[in-house]
Structures are given as structure tokens and as C-alpha cells.
Amino acid sequence: TVADVLLRWLFATTIPGLNEIATLLIAIAVTGCLPAGLARRVNLTIDLLEHRFSAAARRWLEAFGAGLLLLFMALITWRLGAVAEVDRARNVTTIMTLLPTAPFLWGVTAGMAVSTAVQALVTLKSFVEALSASQGSGRAALAVVLAMLCGIAAVFFGGWRPSFLGQFFPAGSVAFAAALFGVMWLFILIMVPLGTVMGFAGLIGTATLLGIDPALYVLGTETKRYLVSDSLSVLPMFLLMGTFAAVAG
């Protein structure tokens, strides 16, 4: 951006397709910064009921939330890789500069893969802390949490379809929407990261309307569309301006 401004000022010229190039590079930069945030556990959560749980229960809830976030990160990584492969096969390019988008998407996927690996370590540490904080019920709590996470993973990764739920909550019904809304708020109140809860709620809602495979496809394409959007590309400049203002006092 600085070089483009200087070229406009000094030579009355510009870098062709700078917006497209910057958008793709910022997408890689954003995913490259995610591991640092995940390692520091800076997820946004609602701790309104935190004081009502014991120390051990809080640890297990944190471990459950970390596990759900790990599953969601793995889903996004998987689907972004699929989108990158589709772009490579179709030789998709940018409009102005005709740059192939697949290499940039593979870079984004690599950043998400590193983020997923970091979150896996954070999740493991959360489980160790939960076991340390528990006394006699540690193994039982571990079994329950792992069973829930494995069930969710089986639905989205293994293709398991719990058909018995349809007997109580038919897809697309008001009862299903109310149940999904209630479960979403339950997870929010037990301190599951907000991004994870909202992401899974949207994914489950889309899956009930379109099917699990189209929902996973939408997850990949919409994540790509957001990461390479113009609105995201201007965010670093605003953050830089805010930093300058904070330092200046």
C-alpha cells in the first residue's frame, strides 16, 4: 500500500491489481496469526455462570469447549483444502491480474492446519488440567466429554446420521429451530467459545435444510469468501491506525 501511494505521488502510476494481491496475502497473514491467539486462549466466552461451577467443573467445561473448537478448526481446514483443490482443478484466477488463487488458498489452508495443531495441544493441556483438578470423578467426566466430542466428530467427519433425533425434532420444524436455539444458548452459558457455538449452529441449521455434504461445501466456500473479502483487507490498516493513536496518547 505504501509503495502504491508513493508511485501515485511521484510517478502518477499504480501497481496493477494491488487490491487483489493484497486481499490474497492478507488472508494468509490472518490465518498465520491465529496460532498465537489460540495458544494464548484468547477465545471470546460468556462467563456469566462461571461462579456457579466448582473448580473441577470449570476445567471440564473449558476442556469441552477446547475440544469443540478443535473439531471446528479441523472442519474449516478440511473444507478449505477441498476448495483449494477445486480452484486448482478449474484453474481459477483473479479477475484483473489473472493470478491463480489455488496457491494462496493452499497457504491459507496451511495456516489453518498449523492453527488446528496448536489447538490440539491446547485441548490436550485442558484435559490434563481438568484431570488434575478432579478427584474421584475424573475418569467418568473424561469418558462423558470424549463421548460427546466423538459423537459430534462422527456426524461431520464420519457421516453418522442420528436418525432417532428426527422422531422428536423433524428437520425444518419450529420445534427443531427452538431446540437448536436452546442448545446454542446452553453451550454459550457453559463457556464454550462463541465462535465455535455460532459456527456449529449455522452448520447444523444449513445441514438440516440442504444436507450435510452441501453444508460442508458451504462452510468451505463461505470461509474462503470471507477471508478474501475487501472488508477484511482494510482491517489491518484500521488496527495500525488504532495502534498509532494508542501509542501517541
Side-chain angles (χ1 to χ4, degrees):
T1 301
V2 174
D4 187 63
V5 171
L6 291 176
L7 286 174
R8 290 174 183 269
W9 177 40
L10 298 174
F11 304 103
T13 186
T14 184
I15 301 176
L18 176 64
N19 185 53
E20 291 181 340
I21 299 172
T23 298
L24 294 172
L25 291 178
I26 287 176
I28 298 176
V30 168
T31 53
C33 294
L34 287 178
L38 292 171
R40 296 173 60 187
R41 303 184 186 184
V42 292
N43 307 302
L44 183 61
T45 59
I46 302 297
D47 56 358
L48 183 65
L49 302 180
E50 181 181 10
H51 65 282
R52 295 185 177 273
F53 299 108
S54 64
R58 286 197 300 269
R59 291 294 187 183
W60 281 113
L61 291 176
E62 290 174 0
F64 178 66
L68 277 181
L69 179 56
L70 173 61
L71 291 180
F72 195 65
M73 295 290 295
L75 278 173
I76 292 178
T77 304
W78 172 35
R79 299 319 303 170
L80 278 176
V83 171
E85 177 59 25
V86 170
D87 280 12
R88 184 202 62 80
R90 295 179 178 177
N91 195 26
V92 177
T93 63
T94 57
I95 298 175
M96 296 178 60
T97 56
L98 299 180
L99 288 173
T101 60
F104 293 95
L105 288 179
W106 282 119
V108 171
T109 304
M112 291 300 300
V114 173
S115 301
T116 303
V118 170
Q119 182 58 32
L121 294 177
V122 172
T123 302
L124 179 60
K125 184 177 180 180
S126 297
F127 274 97
V128 171
E129 292 173 348
L131 284 172
S132 300
S134 303
Q135 296 179 355
S137 59
R139 293 184 178 179
L142 177 63
V144 171
V145 172
L146 287 180
M148 295 177 66
L149 293 176
C150 288
I152 296 173
V155 171
F156 292 105
F157 288 102
W160 176 53
R161 304 293 183 267
S163 57
F164 64 90
L165 293 177
Q167 301 176 4
F168 303 98
F169 305 106
S173 66
V174 176
F176 178 84
L180 182 60
F181 185 76
V183 171
M184 181 185 73
W185 271 104
L186 174 63
F187 279 23
I188 289 175
L189 291 176
I190 62 173
M191 297 177 294
V192 175
L194 286 178
T196 305
V197 176
M198 301 300 290
F200 271 116
L203 186 59
I204 293 172
T206 305
T208 58
L209 296 176
L210 304 178
I212 186 66
D213 293 329
L216 291 174
Y217 177 79
V218 170
L219 176 64
T221 55
E222 286 300 304
T223 303
K224 169 195 170 183
R225 186 181 67 84
Y226 176 74
L227 287 174
V228 299
S229 64
D230 293 335
S231 59
L232 184 63
S233 64
V234 301
L235 184 60
M237 183 60 68
F238 283 100
L239 293 176
L240 182 62
M241 293 167 56
T243 302
F244 286 159
V247 172

